[in-house]
Amino acid sequence: MHNSNKQAGISRDLTRRDALGLGASAVFISGCNKASDSGEPLYHGNNFSNGASVLETPLRGEHPSTDRPFRLNFAPHFGMFEDSAGPDFISQLEFAAAEGFRAWEDNAMPIRSEQEQLVLYEAMKRLDIQMGVFVAGDRKGWAESTLTSGAPDHADAFLSQIKAGIETANRVGAKWLTVLPGQSDPGVRWAYQMANVIDNLKRAAELLEPHDLVLALEPVNTNEDFPEVFMDRTYEAYLACKAVDSPACKLLFDIYHHQVMDGNIIRDLDACWEEICYLQIADHPGRNEPLTGEINYANILQHVYDKGYTGIIGMEHGVNTEGAEGERMLIERYREMNTMLG
């Protein structure tokens, strides 16, 4: 772990928990930083041409070519290559494309302006970059028992955010909307809370199905990062997806969170494979890039590759070493993993 990095005009110390607490009117919302005190990736602020309007940023150049594409579809995010590409978002996309990345995550996409969304979409289309997940649903940082309590106002707010997420997804060519159910309600038994979550997920799936969009249900760990969340086990999210029984409600398997809670990653990937729509990776401890911690990503990614996975693998982590040198080391670690695939 290293200290937070600086960026003119935008704090890079904001954790994901804090970022989700910002209202939709916030101008800046942090992206993934090099590291986060909570271990959770950060959101990055609107940054086009050093703070200029997104519409002032030209879509520069032609599709960058590379002779080193990845066999798996890894997805970086804004801020990950900032020291190499600069703070401008289009430059970061171009840098990533030139390095062979063909997917991208932007959890803050729904709170960007429509103009910004459209410019990012056009840039990704030009660069042959597929849009990955963005966060929909509760943006209160698990400060309330959002989907667990059964409160009508919580459900109504959640469904309104799903409707807004549909508009965003259609605008930027996305397919997956990440949803987290929120905090546990200490006054309600676990089974009743799960029933409330499932009911809300079913209603959301009904909205998403006609648009061929997918709610990506993500459990996050309570052992280190989010002690009060309701859904902290992959098998709980699997159970919920099976109960919803819709192609519009599937499991986001975050290998980092699963390692923190349970381990046995390959076993549990197999156990819930039919419900998985999306993968995210980070190493543990530290929540930085793979090959910097204890998780055996050589075996795990080979297993995923052998199973024929062609979806996106989100790089939801920080960078182990500061500066452009650290970003280059991150890229080379991904290249190393790529060469391991048989």
Side-chain angles (χ1 to χ4, degrees):
M1 278 292 274
H2 53 273
N3 296 327
S4 298
N5 292 284
K6 60 184 180 297
Q7 176 188 353
I10 300 177
S11 169
R12 301 185 68 182
D13 299 326
L14 188 62
T15 66
R16 183 176 186 185
R17 183 185 317 207
D18 294 331
L20 285 171
L22 292 176
S25 62
V27 175
F28 294 115
I29 182 166
S30 173
C32 189
N33 190 9
K34 308 301 183 186
S36 162
D37 292 339
S38 71
E40 190 71 8
L42 312 177
Y43 293 86
H44 216 40
N46 301 336
N47 205 13
F48 299 86
S49 297
N50 287 319
S53 166
V54 61
L55 297 180
E56 296 172 13
T57 300
L59 300 181
R60 298 180 292 275
E62 299 300 324
H63 188 300
S65 62
T66 177
D67 57 359
R68 301 182 297 174
F70 294 99
R71 296 186 185 184
L72 291 169
N73 201 13
F74 298 116
H77 47 253
F78 293 121
M80 180 164 277
F81 302 133
E82 182 175 323
D83 288 318
S84 300
D88 179 74
F89 281 6
I90 306 300
S91 296
Q92 292 179 35
L93 287 168
E94 291 175 337
F95 176 85
E99 293 293 335
F101 295 100
R102 292 293 179 264
W104 197 263
E105 292 187 340
D106 182 20
N107 286 332
M109 185 67 81
I111 66 165
R112 304 194 190 284
S113 70
E114 290 187 16
Q115 293 91 339
E116 289 168 341
Q117 291 174 7
L118 290 170
V119 168
L120 289 173
Y121 168 69
E122 290 298 328
M124 286 188 279
K125 183 170 66 172
R126 171 176 62 88
L127 297 166
D128 193 25
I129 290 177
Q130 181 183 9
M131 179 64 195
V133 292
F134 60 80
V135 173
D138 176 45
R139 286 194 170 277
K140 297 182 178 178
W142 302 279
E144 296 180 358
S145 304
T146 50
L147 303 188
T148 58
S149 67
D153 57 332
H154 290 170
D156 291 344
F158 169 66
L159 294 176
S160 294
Q161 290 169 334
I162 292 296
K163 292 175 183 177
I166 291 171
E167 294 181 5
T168 298
N170 289 334
R171 192 175 295 122
V172 301
K175 185 177 180 65
W176 305 275
L177 291 72
T178 303
V179 166
L180 304 99
Q183 286 192 357
S184 179
D185 188 332
V188 181
R189 290 185 182 274
W190 183 91
Y192 297 143
Q193 292 186 72
M194 178 61 85
N196 291 332
V197 169
I198 291 170
D199 181 61
N200 282 297
L201 295 177
K202 284 183 176 179
R203 295 172 66 185
E206 290 174 356
L207 296 174
L208 293 166
E209 281 183 9
H211 300 273
D212 194 29
L213 299 176
V214 180
L215 181 158
L217 183 62
E218 182 182 11
V220 296
N221 81 81
T222 53
N223 283 346
E224 295 188 6
D225 299 313
F226 301 98
E228 297 179 346
V229 297
F230 171 71
M231 187 170 286
D232 62 352
R233 305 276 182 166
T234 303
Y235 60 75
E236 294 173 344
Y238 174 79
L239 171 65
C241 291
K242 295 292 284 187
V244 173
D245 191 23
S246 166
C249 181
K250 295 297 178 180
L251 169 63
L252 191 165
F253 195 115
D254 187 307
I255 290 173
Y256 163 81
H257 286 303
H258 191 87
Q259 172 71 7
V260 173
M261 295 303 298
D262 288 313
N264 292 307
I265 293 167
I266 290 177
R267 179 202 67 183
D268 289 333
L269 278 167
D270 287 344
C272 58
W273 188 256
E274 63 183 7
E275 294 297 326
I276 293 174
C277 69
Y278 202 97
L279 298 175
Q280 289 181 330
I281 60 177
D283 220 328
H284 179 266
R287 194 150 202 199
N288 290 315
E289 67 264 29
L291 307 184
T292 61
E294 68 189 11
I295 302 177
N296 189 340
Y297 272 107
N299 284 355
I300 292 168
L301 293 181
Q302 183 67 58
H303 188 73
V304 167
Y305 183 74
D306 289 344
K307 290 178 76 69
Y309 183 76
T310 58
I312 291 176
I313 301 179
M315 299 160 58
E316 197 168 65
H317 55 72
V319 183
N320 192 59
T321 303
E322 290 187 2
E325 178 183 1
E327 294 170 359
R328 176 53 53 190
M329 291 171 64
L330 179 154
I331 293 168
E332 293 307 316
R333 287 184 172 116
Y334 273 86
R335 300 213 180 284
E336 180 181 350
M337 290 191 295
N338 189 63
T339 62
M340 295 177 184
L341 296 175

